[in-house]
Amino acid sequence: MRATFMYGAGDVRVENAPDPALRQPTDAIVRIVRSCICGSDLHPYHNLPASEQGTPMGHEFLGVIEDLGSEVSGLKRGDLVVAPFAYSDNTCVFCREGLHTSCLHGGFWARGEVGGGQAEAIRVPQAQGTLVKLPVGEDSELLPSLLTLADVYGTGYHAAKQAHVNARTTVAVIGDGAVGLMAVLSAKRLGAEQIILMGRHDERTKLGIDFGATDVVPERGAEGVEKVRELTGGEGVHTVLEAVGYMNAYETAVGIVRPGGVISRVGVPQYEDAPIGFGSLFGPNITLTGGPAPARAYIEELLPDVLEGRVEPGRVFDRTIGLEQVPDGYRAMDERTALKVLIQP
């Protein structure tokens, strides 16, 4: 089969790879019908050390089950399924608490002996707990929106849920990438009436307004902090949904959150040290939360709105490519000429 590998920063190749095969009775083999490039894939695209052995890429996919291990029930060959970006058994103590990214028997795609989703097919460990059957065909127009359930919609929703967004909270979303836009959509779904989107790319912020943003702040740094505080009567916002992952975004979050507020981070942090002391978080009683989204925990909750067309999260995909064009897709996202690239193998 054909699959995507990264050999170092900026070095993405689509190559021949062995076809996946069942290894455990809890496995499934899935033929991938849609996958995509994630904003988090750009972190290794910028800084992955060069190596002679490529790293498989991709962690978001929809596909059709082609083979099943003997211990997998509730699924059958031919089912169209969505896979969250972490596989899990859906039964361990952490899964039962809705924390599938900490599953005792789980893990992440493209690590160890598990392949990546930017490929023609993939072996799915813990298939029964991981895969969710979709009641549509592989030619459905809903596939782009359904694919967002694998990661970005669930991640944006996780940011809002962890921050306890509701009708009484003011919200600022830092970042106008796909996750930031899904955070806007999620905050609107949870009833927020004022949603401030901090972003400076017109096409993206226009989509953010469609998803529910009431204000757009293109300014950054101290100017951005001042603008958000102006929009909130000088008080700051109850909740900040940080979808970038860089230190300057964290510093902005600290600058715009009100006393007693919540900063919810779902942008993968590209730093280890950050202000958390008396003057930043402790003194004003600010809560810091977030983390990798347990997307599996949210799929059944978010799926009906997608199926019934009440939301269209698939609008974040603004370019569709074939598998062989994946290196071009990385370049387009890195150069900000594409918001999120859909891959149709």
Side-chain angles (χ1 to χ4, degrees):
M1 70 167 185
R2 301 288 282 173
T4 302
F5 297 88
M6 189 178 293
Y7 282 83
D11 186 0
V12 178
R13 311 176 196 175
V14 180
E15 301 179 331
N16 291 325
D19 292 336
L22 297 174
R23 296 190 179 189
Q24 300 293 332
T26 51
D27 287 351
I29 303 300
V30 171
R31 172 175 56 84
I32 295 173
V33 298
R34 296 291 188 280
S35 61
C36 56
I37 302 171
C38 183
S40 65
D41 292 332
L42 296 182
H43 295 314
Y45 189 73
H46 294 152
N47 56 34
L48 184 71
S51 68
E52 295 183 2
Q53 182 176 2
T55 299
M57 296 301 298
H59 55 261
E60 306 155 274
F61 61 89
L62 304 176
V64 175
I65 295 175
E66 296 208 323
D67 201 3
L68 288 169
S70 60
E71 294 182 10
V72 180
S73 63
L75 297 166
K76 65 181 186 301
R77 292 175 179 82
D79 284 346
L80 180 71
V81 292
V82 59
F85 68 86
Y87 61 86
S88 61
D89 62 18
N90 203 29
T91 59
C92 82
V93 60
F94 295 116
C95 288
R96 293 197 303 271
E97 293 174 0
L99 200 60
H100 295 71
T101 47
S102 295
C103 176
L104 293 172
H105 306 106
F108 296 87
W109 310 112
R111 296 187 183 182
E113 297 182 345
V114 180
Q118 294 166 10
E120 292 182 314
I122 191 168
R123 179 178 70 90
V124 178
Q126 301 296 339
Q128 184 173 325
T130 300
L131 300 174
V132 178
K133 181 180 177 180
L134 299 171
V136 300
E138 60 181 286
D139 59 348
S140 171
E141 295 181 354
L142 294 175
L143 293 193
S145 287
L146 293 167
L147 180 56
T148 67
L149 298 172
D151 185 350
V152 289
Y153 191 8
T155 296
Y157 192 63
H158 184 60
K161 289 282 283 188
Q162 290 293 95
H164 304 292
V165 170
N166 58 63
R168 298 181 300 279
T169 52
T170 53
V171 178
V173 175
I174 301 178
D176 58 8
V179 171
L181 295 175
M182 293 296 93
V184 170
L185 183 66
S186 299
K188 179 67 173 179
R189 185 182 189 276
L190 293 171
E193 295 183 358
Q194 184 179 25
I195 304 170
I196 302 167
L197 174 59
M198 301 190 74
R200 56 172 49 182
H201 303 91
D202 286 345
E203 290 304 313
R204 300 182 181 193
T205 56
K206 287 176 183 176
L207 184 54
I209 291 170
D210 287 348
F211 284 158
T214 56
D215 304 276
V216 172
V217 173
E219 294 87 356
R220 295 183 178 181
E223 292 184 15
V225 170
E226 180 180 2
K227 183 65 175 178
V228 172
R229 289 204 168 264
E230 286 179 4
L231 290 169
T232 56
E235 297 173 354
V237 292
H238 293 96
T239 60
V240 183
L241 312 184
E242 195 275 278
V244 177
Y246 290 114
M247 178 61 81
N248 58 358
Y250 177 81
E251 291 171 342
T252 296
V254 173
I256 63 178
V257 68
R258 62 183 280 159
V262 180
I263 297 172
S264 183
R265 301 180 306 164
V266 292
V268 180
Q270 301 303 295
Y271 54 86
E272 289 294 333
D273 299 320
I276 59 169
F278 194 96
S280 54
L281 301 189
F282 185 84
N285 281 281
I286 292 166
T287 297
L288 179 63
T289 186
R296 179 64 183 83
Y298 301 131
I299 290 176
E300 283 92 351
E301 181 179 355
L302 299 175
L303 181 59
D305 281 352
V306 174
L307 291 173
E308 294 170 24
R310 287 190 289 268
V311 295
E312 295 181 79
R315 293 176 65 190
V316 297
F317 294 108
D318 58 350
R319 185 171 302 187
T320 300
I321 60 174
L323 187 59
E324 299 300 324
Q325 286 75 52
V326 166
D328 296 331
Y330 273 83
R331 282 190 290 271
M333 286 183 60
D334 186 47
E335 295 168 358
R336 300 292 182 93
T337 58
L339 167 57
K340 190 166 178 65
V341 174
L342 182 72
I343 303 166
Q344 186 171 343

